[in-house]
Amino acid sequence: MDTLNELMGGFAAAMTWQNLLFAFLGCLLGTIIGVLPGIGPVAGVALLIPLTLNLDATGAIIMLCAIFYGTAYGGTITSVLLNTPGEAASAITTIDGYAMTKIGKAGAALTIAAVGSFVGGTVATIGLVAAAKPLGELGLLVGPPEFFALMVVGISLLVALAGKSMVKAVISGALGLLIAMVGIDPVAGAPRFTFGMDRLLDGVSFVAVIVGVFGLSELLSYRKDTATPIVHAPNLRSLLPTRGEWRRSAPAMARGTGIGFGLGLIPGMTGSVSSLLAYGAEKKFSRHRNELGKGAIEGVAGPETANNSHANAALIPLFTLGIPASPTIAVLMGAFLQQGLTPGPTLFTEHSEIAWAIIASLFIGNLLLLLLNVPLVGLWTSILRVPSSILTALILLFMVIGAYTINFSVFDVFVMIGFGLLGLALRHLDIPLAPMVLTLVLGPLMERSLRESLEISQGDFSIFTSRPISAVLIGLGLLIVFSPLLKLRKPKALNEDPET
Amino acid sequence: MTTKSVAIAPKSTVRVAPSVLAGIGAFAAVGAYVLVASIDLGLWTSLGPGAGLFPFAMGAVLVAMSVVWLIQELRKPSQTAEGVDRGLVLAVVLSLVVLAAVLDLIGFQLGMFLFLMYHLKLRGRRGWPSSLITALAGSVGAFYAFNYGLNVSLPVSAFPLLNTIGL
């Protein structure tokens, strides 16, 4: 009851016209980022943080959350119409989605994908409402050693899932942690790795690093052969699925919701894992499994529901424990910190009204996306017809503004350029970028919890193994890291996942 | 003796790519630097872990992983990704550096206008109307949208002459 009252209070706060406008703008921008193949959700969210700098915390986070799950909707559109996923979590949708386009059923595929996304997102948000209080209370009981162990598990999972080589993933993670170390040491107050530059005393600007490593380096690695694609928006009448298609989609959506929700809760899992497994589930359990690959609606409904359910469920560990489950969420967490909000159990005690307003806005945003997505499909496809030279110029414009406005200093623009080149080098060496983002955000928190733990135990490292929860978590982390030796293999398709 | 010589793979004809070697070397060097620097920061104090402990561990990880990677490469060289479009990288990076260098001097509007015109007209070979409209919207338009719409101020020129005409 208590929770319900607070949620109602959240709705009241989220329904102001300003906050509705922010949610609407976020959905719009998120969909555009999702549609544009060149720019992924990580760089997209980071790039748009400056837009929210001078907004109040509630409005800023509402907008960024909307951008975040808006990308999951938008990524579908190009998967279905063009056979190129706008973002990784929609890659699997291309198989049946594009097959449906070829047989003239693009409209139905897009509608089912949008409805599935709405169902998955809404159910996961209900899960967030239900889990917020109990998990948050549990989180308050967690001490520094458990917190440290939990982050170890999250990072190990991401390292294990990232790229083709674990060695490279660990290098990426270590680099992120080192970049996070630059600046005044939070405990002793001594400057670290600042090379005598006063600018670096506050650390390297997180937004500049992310925009450089993810955004600029992506743009720098473009090839010439990217011609402007020819796309045709489906006409409005064809958007309505038949009754049979609805009936076939419902069980797929239910499975997708469950899969996405479960995996979304696990730190280190990305949306692509969920959509892949959801497709696998359809292959196994669907009554029309033999039609998969030839334009079966289940192949769209399952994965698309799963990735949105995942995106929203992944907010649960962030809100309740302060642990970002994926790189995009890590960027979102950076935005929380920028606004002076610390995600985690204390969020509900210290900023309860903001937290609930954001959760309420998730429901509103999912509804907005459902309303925006399908009828405006013509608009989204027209974005794809913008010539690449104009898009490149505009993306560069946003990168410069994004990096500059964080501290209103040109220094950060140079930081962005430098990290863009670093990102390009890492891409060339086939080093995954995701572990770096995660450790960049988690680095300071990890270090603090490690040092607090060791202060509690007076320097005895056995504190991590003598406390039951942290012992189990550390064991789990080790198991994950050594899983290649135990022949636990990840799906091959994940090698191509840019988010991991 | 014989088993050992059998175990050694025949000399591979594929060599480790120079860029990969440079990368491994760079990571190892950064790791080694961090190791040394963090000892100076202090690994342990009377109060517990010092400022250098965590970086020290990361430096060690970096060095260790570089070594493992080198061994992996020597055994089986990996295929490097396709080369980049050097012209594009050079054009984008240099134009960004120039823009960043002059941003505070000539202001956001003029600097961004020239930057966008370079990318649209010179590099993108777009027509005058579309280049001008996009560049004006991205410079003057963005300036006013951010200043008055979002309360985020973008830099104006440091030159009084440019400043007085609103740039």
Side-chain angles (χ1 to χ4, degrees), chain A residues 28-331:
Chain A
L28 205 66
L29 290 169
T31 309
I32 293 174
I33 290 168
V35 169
L36 293 177
I39 183 157
V42 180
V45 174
L47 213 55
L48 296 172
I49 286 178
L51 288 181
T52 64
L53 273 184
N54 276 13
L55 305 179
D56 69 311
T58 316
I61 302 296
I62 285 180
M63 185 159 154
L64 289 169
C65 285
I67 293 171
F68 161 65
Y69 50 77
T71 57
Y73 275 76
T76 316
I77 296 172
T78 48
S79 297
V80 171
L81 294 180
L82 274 181
N83 204 19
T84 35
E87 38 104 32
S90 291
I92 195 82
T93 314
T94 54
I95 302 175
D96 282 279
Y98 190 60
M100 285 183 75
T101 297
K102 281 198 287 194
I103 52 175
K105 286 190 184 167
L110 286 174
T111 304
I112 290 286
V115 172
S117 298
F118 172 74
V119 171
T122 304
V123 170
T125 310
I126 294 172
L128 172 60
V129 171
K133 266 276 157 65
L135 264 179
E137 276 159 21
L138 191 74
L140 284 173
L141 301 175
V142 163
E146 286 79 16
F147 196 66
F148 179 76
L150 203 55
M151 284 188 272
V152 169
V153 172
I155 292 176
S156 338
L157 253 175
L158 197 72
V159 161
L161 287 171
K164 291 157 207 155
S165 146
M166 197 183 271
V167 170
K168 292 178 180 177
V170 173
I171 289 181
S172 168
L175 275 182
L177 280 171
L178 281 174
I179 297 163
M181 301 289 106
V182 173
I184 297 268
D185 157 42
V187 183
R192 288 190 296 192
F193 308 111
T194 56
F195 308 100
M197 277 191 263
D198 289 346
R199 288 268 183 213
L200 288 177
L201 287 178
D202 284 335
V204 187
S205 159
F206 161 78
V207 172
V209 173
I210 302 286
V211 169
V213 166
F214 268 84
L216 182 58
S217 76
E218 169 91 46
L219 206 139
L220 292 177
S221 54
Y222 275 171
R223 271 173 237 283
K224 282 205 187 94
D225 52 284
T226 42
T228 311
I230 304 154
V231 271
H232 301 286
N235 63 27
L236 279 177
R237 201 171 301 155
S238 78
L239 288 172
L240 277 182
T242 62
R243 192 179 287 194
E245 282 166 335
W246 283 117
R247 207 175 302 132
R248 282 172 57 176
S249 302
M253 284 182 194
R255 285 188 282 263
T257 304
I259 290 169
F261 187 78
L263 291 179
L265 292 176
I266 304 172
M269 288 286 173
T270 60
S272 320
V273 185
S274 283
S275 48
L276 275 177
L277 281 182
Y279 194 79
E282 291 317 304
K283 262 191 175 161
K284 217 169 208 149
F285 301 113
S286 166
R287 266 205 240 153
H288 304 269
R289 73 197 100 164
N290 46 354
E291 286 173 42
L292 278 172
K294 294 171 215 146
I297 191 73
E298 291 89 345
V300 175
E304 283 305 315
T305 309
N307 71 33
N308 261 62
S309 170
H310 184 115
N312 285 273
L315 293 171
I316 297 176
L318 178 73
F319 273 70
T320 55
L321 301 170
I323 301 263
S326 74
T328 324
I329 305 255
V331 176

Side-chain angles (χ1 to χ4, degrees), chain A residues 217-445:
Chain A
S217 76
E218 169 91 46
L219 206 139
L220 292 177
S221 54
Y222 275 171
R223 271 173 237 283
K224 282 205 187 94
D225 52 284
T226 42
T228 311
I230 304 154
V231 271
H232 301 286
N235 63 27
L236 279 177
R237 201 171 301 155
S238 78
L239 288 172
L240 277 182
T242 62
R243 192 179 287 194
E245 282 166 335
W246 283 117
R247 207 175 302 132
R248 282 172 57 176
S249 302
M253 284 182 194
R255 285 188 282 263
T257 304
I259 290 169
F261 187 78
L263 291 179
L265 292 176
I266 304 172
M269 288 286 173
T270 60
S272 320
V273 185
S274 283
S275 48
L276 275 177
L277 281 182
Y279 194 79
E282 291 317 304
K283 262 191 175 161
K284 217 169 208 149
F285 301 113
S286 166
R287 266 205 240 153
H288 304 269
R289 73 197 100 164
N290 46 354
E291 286 173 42
L292 278 172
K294 294 171 215 146
I297 191 73
E298 291 89 345
V300 175
E304 283 305 315
T305 309
N307 71 33
N308 261 62
S309 170
H310 184 115
N312 285 273
L315 293 171
I316 297 176
L318 178 73
F319 273 70
T320 55
L321 301 170
I323 301 263
S326 74
T328 324
I329 305 255
V331 176
L332 209 53
M333 180 166 169
F336 269 84
L337 297 173
Q338 206 108 37
Q339 289 284 349
L341 301 170
T342 309
T346 52
L347 189 68
F348 287 95
T349 50
E350 284 165 20
H351 301 281
S352 164
E353 60 306 338
I354 298 182
W356 285 104
I358 295 168
I359 293 177
S361 84
L362 298 180
F363 286 106
I364 300 170
N366 269 300
L367 187 65
L368 278 177
L369 278 165
L370 179 65
L371 299 177
L372 272 180
N373 216 270
V374 182
L376 291 187
V377 69
L379 176 71
W380 310 130
T381 49
S382 68
I383 291 169
L384 291 165
R385 290 191 211 111
V386 176
S388 64
S389 57
I390 294 186
L391 274 183
T392 309
L394 291 181
I395 291 172
L396 282 170
L397 162 78
F398 266 89
M399 284 175 183
V400 172
I401 295 181
Y404 178 85
T405 46
I406 286 302
N407 293 315
F408 295 99
S409 126
V410 178
F411 180 78
D412 288 328
V413 181
F414 284 113
V415 170
M416 189 243 331
I417 301 169
F419 277 93
L421 287 171
L422 176 71
L424 187 66
L426 295 180
R427 282 175 199 269
H428 182 73
L429 293 170
D430 218 3
I431 291 178
L433 302 174
M436 190 169 154
V437 186
L438 211 57
T439 52
L440 191 64
V441 177
L442 285 181
L445 302 172

Side-chain angles (χ1 to χ4, degrees), chain B residues 14 34 51 59 134:
Chain B
V14 200
V34 170
T134 316

Side-chain angles (χ1 to χ4, degrees), chain B residues 2-166:
Chain B
T2 43
T3 46
K4 205 175 177 186
S5 55
V6 170
I8 294 170
K11 221 178 179 181
S12 120
T13 45
V14 200
R15 282 179 51 238
V16 184
S19 59
V20 173
L21 273 184
I24 295 174
F27 291 127
V30 171
Y33 166 76
V34 170
L35 276 179
V36 176
S38 33
I39 293 174
D40 290 339
L41 286 169
L43 299 184
W44 209 264
T45 64
S46 52
L47 293 168
L53 182 71
F54 206 66
F56 184 82
M58 288 308 113
V61 167
L62 218 47
V63 171
M65 287 301 126
S66 308
V67 172
V68 176
W69 187 6
L70 182 65
I71 295 171
Q72 287 178 347
E73 284 291 334
L74 288 177
R75 278 196 187 156
K76 190 171 165 261
S78 61
Q79 280 158 350
T80 44
E82 296 165 61
V84 292
D85 181 349
R86 277 176 205 225
L88 170 86
V89 174
L90 219 60
V92 170
V93 171
L94 281 183
S95 63
L96 277 173
V97 168
V98 171
L99 175 67
V102 299
L103 203 58
D104 281 335
L105 286 176
I106 62 170
F108 174 83
Q109 295 173 79
L110 188 57
M112 187 51 85
F113 177 76
L114 295 174
F115 176 82
L116 290 175
M117 280 308 276
Y118 166 70
H119 282 283
L120 294 166
K121 186 76 200 111
L122 285 180
R123 274 196 58 246
R125 305 253 165 88
R126 306 222 53 82
W128 281 106
S130 93
S131 299
L132 278 172
I133 292 169
T134 316
L136 276 176
S139 53
V140 182
F143 181 83
Y144 283 96
F146 271 80
N147 263 17
Y148 299 108
L150 293 160
N151 248 342
V152 176
S153 54
L154 293 167
V156 287
S157 172
F159 294 124
L161 188 67
L162 290 174
N163 202 321
T164 44
I165 57 165

